[in-house]
Amino acid sequence: MVPFIKKDKLQIIAFQTYGTNKHLYARGRALEDEEIDLSEKGFLSLLWNTYKRFETDEIRNTPITITFADKRIINGRTDNEGYYLIDKTLENLRHLANDEGWLSYRISYSDTALKREILHQNQFPGEMLIPSKNADFGVISDIDDTILHTGVVSSLKWRVVLNTVFRNALHRKPLEGAADFYHLLHRGKSGKKANPIFYVSHSPWNLYRYLELFLRINKFPKGPIVLRRMSSFGYRKSKSRMPQKQKEIANILETYPNLRFILIGDSGERDADIYINIAQSYPNRIMAIYLQSVPDRKRMQRIGELLENYEDTPTLVVRKSEEAMAHARQNGFIK
């Protein structure tokens, strides 16, 4: 006789996204609930939780429904990896948002015949940011080694693996002063603005909740988090293919054509190359580029050579957040 195997409950993880008064852009993933506790400690617990974050059981090709506070309903469907992306033209979404520009909605499984228990009575919260009309500018920031120590420049990326697998989000430390700087940027020169902050990283969506928790407990301004699929990591991009991170940043700029931006990254990977390409592709849209220095002589030398003759956009390589803060204050970006 086959023993009874209890099936995991179902959930939907709605990623924080961005849109406009007439543009709905909802993104997330439908998964089985692996009961991951991001606060757990201990070697075995952290190792097991990391395994569960990457060994996901997605709910494929199933219909989902978004319901807004004004009772409007939008239908969508997950793909063969459990992801959904609903990109639709709608009218009058801004009136549903709060003072900071966050529009809340509920998302649920449409198919009531799934024969599986669904968490939270099949009602999962989602949010989309519609930047305030009085925003002076936006900020697009990397995460790895820009506001979170990850070790992306270490040999064979061993520190990235060590930090991600064996340290929980509650005990990861941000770069000193970064949260304060981002709040100053968020509030702008008057101290009363709601300038949008976008977090864009090469990390996979499997780490979304981990990174969202890190940003929240370390009191960074709330903002959309844009990551990438695990399936894209095995793809060796050709020279003509735009890096995924650059593509996501370009999409933000095109979504808000009347908004200028500050770009923040690090000197360890390809942020400088991507940011310069963005600044050249969108003339007069980038106000400044801030790059966190990394402890790697060859990489820093390459960045120095890259920036030696680049004068189109103010670009600053900094060791501390205070240096970027001083430049931003001098140029009237912050109070």
Side-chain angles (χ1 to χ4, degrees):
M1 187 175 182
V2 179
F4 173 74
I5 299 176
K6 184 179 180 181
K7 292 184 178 181
D8 289 332
K9 301 173 184 178
L10 303 187
Q11 63 176 333
I12 298 176
I13 301 174
F15 306 142
Q16 289 172 344
T17 59
Y18 58 91
T20 71
N21 184 48
K22 296 182 179 181
H23 182 189
L24 171 67
Y25 190 72
R27 209 172 191 176
R29 200 176 189 191
L31 299 166
E32 291 184 358
D33 177 33
E34 301 292 345
E35 298 182 343
I36 296 174
D37 184 354
L38 293 172
S39 67
E40 278 191 330
K41 305 175 183 177
F43 176 86
L44 292 178
S45 294
L46 291 170
L47 186 63
W48 179 241
N49 278 342
T50 299
Y51 168 76
K52 290 192 289 187
R53 278 201 298 266
F54 287 91
E55 197 286 312
T56 55
D57 292 310
E58 56 273 357
I59 311 304
R60 307 174 181 178
N61 305 309
T62 190
I64 54 173
T65 300
I66 288 180
T67 305
F68 295 102
D70 61 3
K71 308 303 181 184
R72 275 186 287 181
I73 291 176
I74 300 296
N75 295 310
R77 195 176 190 87
T78 64
D79 63 16
N80 58 7
E81 293 183 78
Y83 291 100
Y84 64 85
L85 175 59
I86 301 176
D87 190 348
K88 289 184 178 292
T89 299
L90 293 178
E91 295 293 331
N92 201 21
L93 291 172
R94 188 181 294 279
H95 84 283
L96 299 174
N98 64 17
D99 291 341
E100 287 283 313
W102 287 99
L103 181 157
S104 297
Y105 59 83
R106 295 285 171 177
I107 186 163
S108 59
Y109 288 97
S110 308
D111 186 358
T112 57
L114 287 172
K115 297 181 180 179
R116 299 280 295 278
E117 184 176 353
I118 303 174
L119 290 174
H120 307 306
Q121 298 180 322
N122 196 22
Q123 294 290 315
F124 300 91
E127 291 182 301
M128 184 184 81
L129 178 64
I130 303 175
S132 170
K133 290 181 178 180
N134 72 344
D136 287 333
F137 56 83
V139 177
I140 300 174
S141 174
D142 182 34
I143 296 177
D144 305 329
D145 278 325
T146 299
I147 58 178
L148 168 64
H149 289 287
T150 59
V152 294
V153 298
S154 64
S155 176
L156 300 179
K157 305 289 188 288
W158 68 269
R159 285 182 182 168
V160 177
V161 176
L162 181 67
N163 285 327
T164 302
V165 175
F166 301 122
R167 299 183 68 187
N168 68 38
L170 298 176
H171 292 85
R172 299 291 296 277
K173 298 298 182 184
L175 270 68
E176 187 176 356
D180 292 337
F181 180 40
Y182 282 47
H183 275 288
L184 287 171
L185 291 169
H186 178 55
R187 291 304 174 195
K189 187 177 180 179
S190 69
K192 299 178 180 179
K193 298 291 184 178
N195 298 324
I197 312 286
F198 302 84
Y199 301 96
V200 181
S201 172
H202 281 302
S203 296
W205 284 111
N206 305 65
L207 294 179
Y208 173 80
R209 287 192 293 182
Y210 183 95
L211 294 174
E212 189 274 334
L213 176 61
F214 168 83
L215 292 170
R216 178 159 45 85
I217 64 173
N218 286 290
K219 297 180 169 49
F220 280 86
K222 183 177 175 180
I225 301 172
V226 183
L227 308 178
R228 63 172 173 161
R229 294 190 185 209
M230 278 293 296
S231 56
S232 69
F233 280 76
Y235 179 79
R236 294 180 63 87
K237 60 180 181 292
S238 67
K239 292 182 179 180
S240 61
R241 179 182 168 96
M242 182 185 295
Q244 180 65 24
K245 188 173 184 178
Q246 185 172 338
K247 182 179 178 182
E248 296 288 0
I249 294 172
N251 189 60
I252 294 171
L253 266 70
E254 290 174 7
T255 301
Y256 309 110
N258 298 319
L259 201 60
R260 300 178 71 200
F261 285 86
I262 293 172
L263 307 180
I264 308 178
D266 70 86
S267 303
E269 294 285 286
R270 309 299 293 184
D271 284 352
D273 306 75
I274 291 173
Y275 290 178
I276 287 173
N277 283 332
I278 286 290
Q280 291 173 334
S281 299
Y282 296 88
N284 303 315
R285 295 286 308 281
I286 307 304
M287 300 164 60
I289 297 173
Y290 298 126
L291 298 170
Q292 179 75 32
S293 64
V294 295
D296 186 289
R297 184 180 60 82
K298 289 184 178 180
R299 292 175 190 261
M300 293 307 299
Q301 181 179 344
R302 188 187 79 83
I303 294 299
E305 294 171 353
L306 181 66
L307 299 178
E308 187 175 1
N309 298 313
Y310 179 69
E311 299 178 351
D312 295 352
T313 302
T315 302
L316 198 66
V317 178
V318 302
R319 287 180 295 178
K320 297 181 179 180
S321 296
E322 286 81 359
E323 297 173 40
M325 206 178 295
H327 180 273
R329 187 170 285 117
Q330 182 181 357
N331 284 272
F333 304 154
I334 63 176
K335 188 175 180 181

